[in-house]
Structure formats: structure tokens, C-alpha cells
Amino acid sequence: MSREQRAGAVEKETGRLESFSDGVFAVAITLLVFNLQVPHLPGAISMPVLGSALLAQWPSYLTFMTSFATILIMWASHHGLFKLVYKTDTPFLFANGLLLLLVTVVPFPTSLVTQYLITPAASLACAVYAGVFVVINVAYNLLWWAATHQRRLLHPAVTSRQVKRLTRNQLLGLPLYLLATLLAFWNPYVSLGLCSCLWIFWAFTYYIHSPSPHRLALLQDEQTAPESEA
């Protein structure tokens, strides 16, 4: 089988699961826009009044952009993980389902922060927001464990070094998101900032360390070449 044919086989075995997951991510990211509301102006309507009302909704814009970027990076990380996986089993399917369930929950804490960020309840709202990502990180770790357990689902060319590096990065998220949850009771904006920085970290992690299917096929060629010569 040629390198291109093997790369196609890798993509085909997880194709249905990836398509289903992409649809869930797309719905979740679309729902975020419903937090953006047209302001209702009491009394006389004028350009300055409308401008002030639009500016007063800045928490909506902040949480929308933050959560949109978050789900986008979650999708990119999910896509990067699936570059390393070439088949599925029942535990992996359910672990992926748990992650998707939590992805659909993201619009709720986003709406919560939008409503309460500039109120005395901001700390609790941001703690709930960060707490959701604690659980999402647990789900990502569970999905990664299901893929790497005994290496039964990974592409044969994935190295132990790659697995250890990504495992370490995934586990790093749990204490940091717990820290963001606690920080929300001290300063809600610091908590939101830490969550945003972590998603940027995940984006670079999967971009750098997740090879393409063709690259995996090339690595497999290099590994099998010495065996063929022997």
C-alpha cells in the first residue's frame, strides 16, 4: 500500500466520528452569538444614547470573543488529537461523547459571565466559567487516555516521546484551571485572562506536535524500511 493510500485509510476509519464531532462544535460555537443582544432604549432615541447602550454591553463582546476563540481552539486541539488516532473503540467513543457534551455547555457559563461580570456576583460567575473548563480538561485527559491505553488506537508511527509530551501538557491543565477557578474569587478578570492564556497554549501545543497523516505515513515508511531490508 502506498503512503497516500495509508494516509487515506487513517482518515477514513475515524471519518464518521470526526464529522459528528465537527457538527457539535459548529452548533456550540454558533449558539454563542445569541448572547449578543440589540439594546432596547427607553425614552428618546438618539445616536449618543444608542452608542452608550452599545458600549455598556462590552461584557457581552468580551465573553463572546473569549468563548468563540476557546471553542475554536478546542476544535483545533480535537482535530490535532485525531491526527494521531487511526481507529476507534467503544470507550473512546463514549469519552469523545462526554467531551462533546461539555462543549455544548460552554454557551451557558458564557451567558452567565455576560450577565454578571460587572455585578457583585462576578466572582461566582467567573468561577463557574473556569470550573466548566476544569471538567472539560478532565474529559480531554480521559479521551487521550482512551486513545493511548496500550497504544491500541494510535497510528503505528506515533512515538512514545509524542505520547509522553502530550500527556504531560494535558495533565498540566487541571491544576491551572483549578487555580483559575480559585482566582475568580479574588479577581474575576485575572481568572478569565488565565483561561484565555491556557487555550492559546493548547493551540500551539497541538499545532507544533500533531503531524499530518502524510507525515505519519512517511514516518511509518522510515520505520519499516530497515525491517524490509533485513
Side-chain angles (χ1 to χ4, degrees):
M1 181 181 292
S2 69
R3 184 188 313 159
E4 290 75 13
Q5 288 174 323
R6 284 200 302 275
V10 169
E11 183 179 358
K12 185 176 180 181
E13 284 209 38
T14 60
R16 288 187 63 191
L17 183 58
E18 290 185 68
S19 297
F20 174 73
S21 300
D22 288 348
V24 174
F25 276 103
V27 171
I29 208 169
T30 301
L31 290 175
L32 295 174
V33 77
F34 291 106
N35 290 309
L36 301 178
Q37 302 291 329
V38 175
H40 297 284
L41 305 179
I45 297 176
S46 65
M47 187 168 63
V49 172
L50 177 58
S52 297
L54 289 171
L55 288 175
Q57 293 188 159
W58 67 265
S60 300
Y61 313 141
L62 174 64
T63 53
F64 171 75
M65 293 302 298
T66 301
S67 295
F68 187 95
T70 295
I71 295 181
L72 178 63
I73 294 169
M74 286 172 64
W75 170 79
S77 299
H78 187 270
H79 179 66
L81 186 150
F82 269 79
K83 289 181 181 179
L84 307 178
V85 175
Y86 83 111
K87 59 183 178 179
T88 64
D89 62 6
T90 300
F92 185 79
L93 290 174
F94 281 104
N96 190 68
L98 174 61
L99 176 61
L100 296 180
L101 168 66
L102 295 170
V103 168
T104 63
V105 172
V106 171
F108 167 70
T110 299
S111 180
L112 197 66
V113 172
T114 298
Q115 293 292 325
Y116 296 102
L117 184 59
I118 54 177
T119 71
S123 294
L124 181 57
C126 291
V128 172
Y129 184 84
V132 167
F133 292 118
V134 171
V135 184
I136 287 176
N137 181 258
V138 171
Y140 261 111
N141 277 286
L142 181 61
L143 182 64
W144 181 238
W145 176 85
T148 58
H149 183 61
Q150 299 180 348
R151 299 181 60 89
R152 64 184 186 275
L153 304 183
L154 295 178
H155 192 287
V158 175
T159 65
S160 297
R161 183 179 179 183
Q162 285 177 298
V163 172
K164 290 179 181 179
R165 184 186 294 115
L166 288 173
T167 300
R168 182 177 65 248
N169 291 339
Q170 289 283 12
L171 292 173
L172 178 65
L174 184 58
L176 292 178
Y177 280 118
L178 285 171
L179 176 61
T181 303
L182 295 175
L183 285 174
F185 295 100
W186 171 64
N187 189 314
Y189 299 98
V190 172
S191 175
L192 290 176
L194 179 55
C195 289
S196 300
C197 290
L198 281 171
W199 285 115
I200 294 172
F201 170 73
W202 302 137
F204 279 101
T205 296
Y206 278 96
Y207 175 77
I208 295 172
H209 299 302
S210 296
S212 67
H214 291 284
R215 175 59 179 165
L216 288 172
L218 178 61
L219 291 172
Q220 188 173 11
D221 282 344
E222 293 173 351
Q223 291 176 1
T224 57
E227 299 176 2
S228 301
E229 293 173 359

